[in-house]
Amino acid sequence: MFETVSENRCFGGVQGVYTHDSDACACDMTFGLFLPEEAEDGPVPVLWYLSGLTCTHENAMTKAGAQLWAAEHGIAVVFPDTSPRGEGVANDDAYDLGQGAGFYVNATQQPWAPHFQMWDYVADELPRLLLNNFAIDEERQAITGHSMGGHGALTLAMNLPGRFASVSAFSPIANPTKSDWGRKQLSAYLGDDEAAWQRHDASLLVKNVGFDGPMLIDQGSNDQFLDLLKPEALSAAIAEARQPAAFRMQKGYDHSYFFVASFMEEHIGFHAEALYR
């Protein structure tokens, strides 16, 4: 079960924050969930928003501006945390490893394996909790995310065929097997066998698996982390695989939530079109 931390009226719906005992992560986990007014009458489509490095459930919930546009389309938005947390959960002094940096994988290596099962948490445990307790339509799901969360959104969408009607990403970590934002974390969580990393690299997945649905990628041209994100690898993979997708370099934008908020209306409209098709 879950406990309610807070619920606030928001654009006619409710923005809630909830905590629960996670079997996957073996600790308490917190998530945000926006339910539009239509959820009072029955199940509504849901958009998953996965956040980036250092974020909790709260960052995008308060900064991305998703609720207004989700309310206009009658769509729920769920904001999971980015990692397990708490006393006894492994951590690292670096901001890009450990708590706040789960990378949406199931860790197999120590000391991470006992708690860092974020793939199972986002792909299985949290969806079951939502479907069993809230007015969420299991058949109408879409996914998006920012930075590390964009990586998670793309890899989940391509590894779970049929789950998501559409996928989008804001400045995703696009080629982690070739980047310091990726090689460090994948080796720590999954070990040195790089074959185990392949299913967590969006650029490789586009070429090897693809996505049977609409895909939208926005990347800021002034992003201070371009060398780590490697958007050119994803763009090239999309072209090589002839993957139906819109890849947009947005002039002058950086990596911040100001960038995310600037294009949130378009992303939610993009997902609404797929969810209501």
Short mmCIF file of all heavy atoms in Angstrom, two decimals, residues 47-75:
data_model
loop_
_atom_site.label_atom_id
_atom_site.label_comp_id
_atom_site.label_asym_id
_atom_site.label_seq_id
_atom_site.Cartn_x
_atom_site.Cartn_y
_atom_site.Cartn_z
N LEU A 47 1.01 9.80 -18.69
CA LEU A 47 2.34 10.11 -19.21
C LEU A 47 3.35 9.95 -18.08
O LEU A 47 3.22 10.57 -17.03
CB LEU A 47 2.38 11.55 -19.74
CG LEU A 47 3.75 12.07 -20.20
CD1 LEU A 47 4.26 11.27 -21.40
CD2 LEU A 47 3.67 13.56 -20.53
N TRP A 48 4.35 9.12 -18.32
CA TRP A 48 5.45 8.95 -17.37
C TRP A 48 6.50 10.01 -17.65
O TRP A 48 6.93 10.18 -18.79
CB TRP A 48 6.06 7.56 -17.52
CG TRP A 48 5.14 6.47 -17.06
CD1 TRP A 48 4.08 5.93 -17.74
CD2 TRP A 48 5.21 5.79 -15.80
NE1 TRP A 48 3.48 4.96 -16.97
CE2 TRP A 48 4.15 4.85 -15.78
CE3 TRP A 48 6.06 5.88 -14.70
CZ2 TRP A 48 3.93 4.01 -14.69
CZ3 TRP A 48 5.84 5.05 -13.62
CH2 TRP A 48 4.78 4.12 -13.62
N TYR A 49 6.94 10.70 -16.59
CA TYR A 49 8.03 11.68 -16.73
C TYR A 49 9.19 11.22 -15.84
O TYR A 49 9.08 11.21 -14.62
CB TYR A 49 7.58 13.08 -16.32
CG TYR A 49 8.67 14.11 -16.54
CD1 TYR A 49 8.64 14.95 -17.65
CD2 TYR A 49 9.76 14.21 -15.67
CE1 TYR A 49 9.67 15.87 -17.88
CE2 TYR A 49 10.79 15.10 -15.89
CZ TYR A 49 10.74 15.92 -16.99
OH TYR A 49 11.77 16.81 -17.22
N LEU A 50 10.31 10.85 -16.49
CA LEU A 50 11.50 10.41 -15.77
C LEU A 50 12.51 11.55 -15.68
O LEU A 50 12.86 12.15 -16.69
CB LEU A 50 12.13 9.20 -16.48
CG LEU A 50 11.21 8.00 -16.72
CD1 LEU A 50 12.00 6.84 -17.30
CD2 LEU A 50 10.49 7.59 -15.44
N SER A 51 12.96 11.81 -14.49
CA SER A 51 13.85 12.95 -14.25
C SER A 51 15.32 12.57 -14.37
O SER A 51 15.68 11.39 -14.47
CB SER A 51 13.57 13.55 -12.87
OG SER A 51 12.33 14.20 -12.86
N GLY A 52 16.18 13.60 -14.32
CA GLY A 52 17.60 13.43 -14.54
C GLY A 52 18.43 13.38 -13.27
O GLY A 52 17.91 13.36 -12.15
N LEU A 53 19.73 13.41 -13.46
CA LEU A 53 20.69 13.30 -12.37
C LEU A 53 20.43 14.34 -11.28
O LEU A 53 20.14 15.50 -11.58
CB LEU A 53 22.11 13.48 -12.90
CG LEU A 53 22.67 12.35 -13.75
CD1 LEU A 53 23.93 12.79 -14.47
CD2 LEU A 53 22.96 11.13 -12.89
N THR A 54 20.54 13.91 -10.05
CA THR A 54 20.38 14.69 -8.81
C THR A 54 18.93 14.99 -8.48
O THR A 54 18.64 15.47 -7.38
CB THR A 54 21.16 16.01 -8.80
OG1 THR A 54 20.51 16.99 -9.63
CG2 THR A 54 22.61 15.82 -9.27
N CYS A 55 17.99 14.72 -9.37
CA CYS A 55 16.59 15.07 -9.13
C CYS A 55 15.90 14.04 -8.23
O CYS A 55 16.28 12.88 -8.16
CB CYS A 55 15.83 15.16 -10.45
SG CYS A 55 16.29 16.57 -11.46
N THR A 56 14.84 14.51 -7.56
CA THR A 56 13.88 13.64 -6.90
C THR A 56 12.59 13.69 -7.72
O THR A 56 12.56 14.25 -8.82
CB THR A 56 13.60 14.12 -5.47
OG1 THR A 56 12.87 15.36 -5.53
CG2 THR A 56 14.90 14.33 -4.70
N HIS A 57 11.51 13.13 -7.15
CA HIS A 57 10.20 13.25 -7.80
C HIS A 57 9.76 14.71 -7.93
O HIS A 57 8.93 15.05 -8.76
CB HIS A 57 9.15 12.50 -6.95
CG HIS A 57 8.89 13.21 -5.64
ND1 HIS A 57 9.75 13.12 -4.57
CD2 HIS A 57 7.91 14.07 -5.26
CE1 HIS A 57 9.29 13.86 -3.58
NE2 HIS A 57 8.18 14.45 -3.97
N GLU A 58 10.32 15.57 -7.08
CA GLU A 58 9.77 16.91 -6.91
C GLU A 58 10.22 17.89 -7.99
O GLU A 58 9.47 18.82 -8.34
CB GLU A 58 10.18 17.46 -5.54
CG GLU A 58 9.53 18.78 -5.19
CD GLU A 58 9.84 19.23 -3.78
OE1 GLU A 58 10.87 18.80 -3.22
OE2 GLU A 58 9.06 20.02 -3.24
N ASN A 59 11.42 17.72 -8.55
CA ASN A 59 11.97 18.75 -9.45
C ASN A 59 11.06 19.02 -10.63
O ASN A 59 10.63 20.16 -10.87
CB ASN A 59 13.36 18.34 -9.93
CG ASN A 59 14.36 18.23 -8.80
OD1 ASN A 59 14.30 17.29 -8.02
ND2 ASN A 59 15.28 19.17 -8.70
N ALA A 60 10.77 18.00 -11.42
CA ALA A 60 9.92 18.19 -12.59
C ALA A 60 8.48 18.52 -12.18
O ALA A 60 7.80 19.29 -12.87
CB ALA A 60 9.95 16.96 -13.47
N MET A 61 8.05 17.96 -11.08
CA MET A 61 6.69 18.20 -10.61
C MET A 61 6.44 19.69 -10.37
O MET A 61 5.34 20.20 -10.61
CB MET A 61 6.46 17.40 -9.33
CG MET A 61 5.04 17.38 -8.81
SD MET A 61 4.92 16.43 -7.27
CE MET A 61 5.54 17.63 -6.07
N THR A 62 7.48 20.40 -9.90
CA THR A 62 7.32 21.81 -9.58
C THR A 62 7.91 22.75 -10.63
O THR A 62 7.59 23.94 -10.63
CB THR A 62 7.98 22.14 -8.22
OG1 THR A 62 9.37 21.79 -8.27
CG2 THR A 62 7.31 21.36 -7.10
N LYS A 63 8.76 22.26 -11.55
CA LYS A 63 9.47 23.15 -12.46
C LYS A 63 9.14 22.94 -13.94
O LYS A 63 9.39 23.84 -14.76
CB LYS A 63 10.99 22.97 -12.30
CG LYS A 63 11.53 23.38 -10.95
CD LYS A 63 13.04 23.14 -10.91
CE LYS A 63 13.64 23.55 -9.57
NZ LYS A 63 15.11 23.30 -9.55
N ALA A 64 8.62 21.79 -14.32
CA ALA A 64 8.48 21.48 -15.75
C ALA A 64 7.21 22.05 -16.37
O ALA A 64 7.09 22.09 -17.60
CB ALA A 64 8.54 19.97 -15.97
N GLY A 65 6.26 22.45 -15.55
CA GLY A 65 5.04 23.05 -16.08
C GLY A 65 4.11 22.07 -16.79
O GLY A 65 3.35 22.47 -17.68
N ALA A 66 4.16 20.81 -16.39
CA ALA A 66 3.40 19.79 -17.11
C ALA A 66 1.91 19.80 -16.78
O ALA A 66 1.09 19.43 -17.62
CB ALA A 66 3.99 18.40 -16.79
N GLN A 67 1.54 20.20 -15.57
CA GLN A 67 0.16 20.00 -15.12
C GLN A 67 -0.86 20.78 -15.94
O GLN A 67 -1.94 20.26 -16.24
CB GLN A 67 0.04 20.36 -13.64
CG GLN A 67 0.77 19.42 -12.70
CD GLN A 67 2.21 19.84 -12.44
OE1 GLN A 67 2.77 20.66 -13.17
NE2 GLN A 67 2.81 19.30 -11.39
N LEU A 68 -0.56 22.01 -16.31
CA LEU A 68 -1.50 22.82 -17.09
C LEU A 68 -1.86 22.11 -18.39
O LEU A 68 -3.04 21.98 -18.74
CB LEU A 68 -0.90 24.20 -17.38
CG LEU A 68 -1.65 25.06 -18.42
CD1 LEU A 68 -3.07 25.35 -17.96
CD2 LEU A 68 -0.88 26.35 -18.68
N TRP A 69 -0.84 21.67 -19.12
CA TRP A 69 -1.07 21.06 -20.42
C TRP A 69 -1.68 19.67 -20.28
O TRP A 69 -2.53 19.29 -21.09
CB TRP A 69 0.23 21.02 -21.21
CG TRP A 69 0.93 22.34 -21.17
CD1 TRP A 69 2.15 22.62 -20.61
CD2 TRP A 69 0.44 23.60 -21.67
NE1 TRP A 69 2.46 23.94 -20.72
CE2 TRP A 69 1.43 24.57 -21.38
CE3 TRP A 69 -0.73 23.98 -22.33
CZ2 TRP A 69 1.27 25.91 -21.72
CZ3 TRP A 69 -0.87 25.32 -22.68
CH2 TRP A 69 0.10 26.26 -22.38
N ALA A 70 -1.29 18.93 -19.24
CA ALA A 70 -1.89 17.62 -18.99
C ALA A 70 -3.37 17.78 -18.66
O ALA A 70 -4.21 16.99 -19.11
CB ALA A 70 -1.16 16.92 -17.86
N ALA A 71 -3.71 18.81 -17.89
CA ALA A 71 -5.11 19.06 -17.55
C ALA A 71 -5.92 19.37 -18.80
O ALA A 71 -7.07 18.94 -18.94
CB ALA A 71 -5.21 20.20 -16.54
N GLU A 72 -5.35 20.13 -19.72
CA GLU A 72 -6.07 20.49 -20.95
C GLU A 72 -6.41 19.26 -21.78
O GLU A 72 -7.42 19.23 -22.48
CB GLU A 72 -5.25 21.48 -21.77
CG GLU A 72 -5.20 22.88 -21.17
CD GLU A 72 -4.84 23.94 -22.20
OE1 GLU A 72 -4.58 23.58 -23.36
OE2 GLU A 72 -4.84 25.13 -21.82
N HIS A 73 -5.55 18.24 -21.71
CA HIS A 73 -5.76 17.02 -22.50
C HIS A 73 -6.35 15.87 -21.69
O HIS A 73 -6.56 14.78 -22.24
CB HIS A 73 -4.44 16.58 -23.13
CG HIS A 73 -3.92 17.52 -24.18
ND1 HIS A 73 -4.47 17.61 -25.43
CD2 HIS A 73 -2.88 18.40 -24.15
CE1 HIS A 73 -3.81 18.50 -26.15
NE2 HIS A 73 -2.85 19.01 -25.39
N GLY A 74 -6.59 16.07 -20.39
CA GLY A 74 -7.14 15.00 -19.58
C GLY A 74 -6.19 13.85 -19.38
O GLY A 74 -6.60 12.68 -19.38
N ILE A 75 -4.92 14.15 -19.17
CA ILE A 75 -3.87 13.13 -19.04
C ILE A 75 -3.26 13.20 -17.64
O ILE A 75 -2.98 14.28 -17.13
CB ILE A 75 -2.78 13.35 -20.10
CG1 ILE A 75 -3.35 13.10 -21.51
CG2 ILE A 75 -1.57 12.47 -19.86
CD1 ILE A 75 -2.38 13.48 -22.62
#
